[in-house]
Amino acid sequence: ALLVALALADHWELRAWIALASAAALVAAGFCAATPRQRHLAIAGVPLLWLADVAPVYRGIHPQVPIGWADPARAVAMLPGAIRNDRHARVAFERTTPPNLPAVFGVEDVRAYSFPVPSRYDRYALEVMEIPIPMNLLREDLARAATLAGLERTCAQWLWTTQRYDGTPLAARVQKIWERDDRIFVYRLTQASPCAAWYADGAVMQVGDLDAAVASLHASLELPIETIVIESKGDSRAPQARPEPGLAAEAQWPNPNQIDLEIPSAARARDGWLVLRVSHDSGWSAVSQRGAALRVVPAQVRFLAVAVPAGTERVTLRYAPLHFGATLGIAGAALALLGLSQLWARRAA
C-alpha cells in the first residue's frame, strides 16, 4: 500500500522505479499467496498499478478543457467559414493562442504532422525557418520572411495569429479572412505548397546528407518557386532544369498508417518524385499499383519523397515501426508467460 501511495505522488525521478518495485511486490505476493483467489487478485493488480502511475502524467500533459469547448457544434460555429469548409485543414498556430485550439477545431497543427522526428523538426525550425525556440512559434517570429516562407512550404494554408500584416513587407503573402476584437487574426497563406505533389526528376536537387539539405533549403527560401531538396546518400546533383510548381496529387488516408496517392495524369509519362508533407521516418515504405517497391527518401529536411518512374499511376505508402515484428514477438512471449503463471496458480491450489 505504501508503494502504491508513493507511485501516485509526483516524484518524477523516482516514479518509474517505484512503479516497478510495486509491480514486483504484487507479483511476489501472488507467488506467496495461500489460495488461488489471492494469487489472481495480486496479479490482476499489476496493470491497475501501472495505469495509476501513468494517469497523473497524462492528466498533466492533457488538461481538461472547459465543458462548452467540447461541443462539436460550438467549435464548428466558431471557425471561419473558409476553414470550416476545408476537409483537411492544416493550420499554423502562434504560441499565444489557446493551446487546445487544434483539438477544439478539429484541425491539424503545422508542428505535428504525423509525429515529427525531433532531430529533423528541430533542424527545420532552427536553421531553415530561423525560429529561436523550435516548439514555440511567436508573434515576433512571424515578422520574418524566412519563418513565413518555411510555414508556406509545410503546406499549411491557414495561419492563426495575433500578428497584423497590414502595411508590412509580408502583406502580399497573406490574405486576411477573419479577425476577432482586433486581437486574433486568421490569414490564408497565398503561396502555400501542396501537401502532396509530383515534381519532374530533372527539376529536383539531390544532396548527400542532412546538413547539405538544411543549407540548400534555407538558401532557396528567397526564390519565388520552391526548390525540392531530397537526400540521396553519397549522391549530389544540382537541378538540371528550372524549378517548376508541383502538380498536386490527391491523397487519401484509409487508416493512420496508410496513404493512397494518385499520380496526376499529366505526369505519368515521365520519371519524377512524389513529395508528401508528412514527417519522414524509416518506417515508411511505398509500392506502385503493380506492387513494385518504390524508393522513399527524406525531402525538404523534415518530409518525405517517393521516386516514381514513368508509368506509375498510383502509390501506396504504409508505415510500420522499426523492429515491429520483434516487438510483437516480445509481447506474445509476455502474454504466454502470463498464461503460464495463471495455469501454475491453478495447479498449485
Side-chain angles (χ1 to χ4, degrees), residues 262-264 267-270 287-290 294 307-315:
E262 193 84 14
I263 304 299
R268 294 175 182 175
R270 295 183 290 167
V287 295
S288 69
Q289 75 278 7
R290 303 184 186 91
L294 302 175
V308 286
T312 304
E313 299 177 1
R314 292 180 301 278
V315 171

Side-chain angles (χ1 to χ4, degrees), residues 250-262:
E250 183 180 351
Q252 296 181 348
W253 298 68
N255 59 67
N257 295 327
Q258 180 177 332
I259 311 172
D260 296 332
L261 301 115
E262 193 84 14

Side-chain angles (χ1 to χ4, degrees), residues 96-130:
T96 53
T97 56
N100 47 1
L101 274 177
V104 171
F105 294 146
V107 292
E108 190 175 8
D109 192 324
V110 71
R111 293 168 297 177
Y113 294 165
S114 68
F115 302 101
V117 177
S119 60
R120 291 188 170 275
Y121 172 80
D122 288 346
R123 297 292 298 272
Y124 189 89
L126 285 168
E127 300 175 51
V128 177
M129 294 177 61
E130 301 179 359

Side-chain angles (χ1 to χ4, degrees), residues 113-190:
Y113 294 165
S114 68
F115 302 101
V117 177
S119 60
R120 291 188 170 275
Y121 172 80
D122 288 346
R123 297 292 298 272
Y124 189 89
L126 285 168
E127 300 175 51
V128 177
M129 294 177 61
E130 301 179 359
I131 300 178
I133 306 174
M135 296 308 294
N136 290 337
L137 186 61
L138 302 178
R139 176 188 175 97
E140 52 268 30
D141 298 330
L142 292 169
R144 289 190 294 268
T147 301
L148 197 60
L151 287 178
E152 292 168 345
R153 297 178 184 189
T154 63
C155 93
Q157 189 173 2
W158 314 102
L159 175 61
W160 195 297
T161 177
T162 58
Q163 169 75 28
R164 180 184 287 279
Y165 286 99
D166 301 345
T168 71
L170 300 176
R173 299 171 73 160
V174 296
Q175 176 188 1
K176 186 169 66 178
I177 64 167
W178 183 85
E179 68 175 274
R180 171 164 290 183
D181 302 328
D182 199 33
R183 293 186 299 113
I184 296 180
F185 307 92
V186 175
Y187 294 95
R188 184 198 303 271
L189 300 179
T190 57

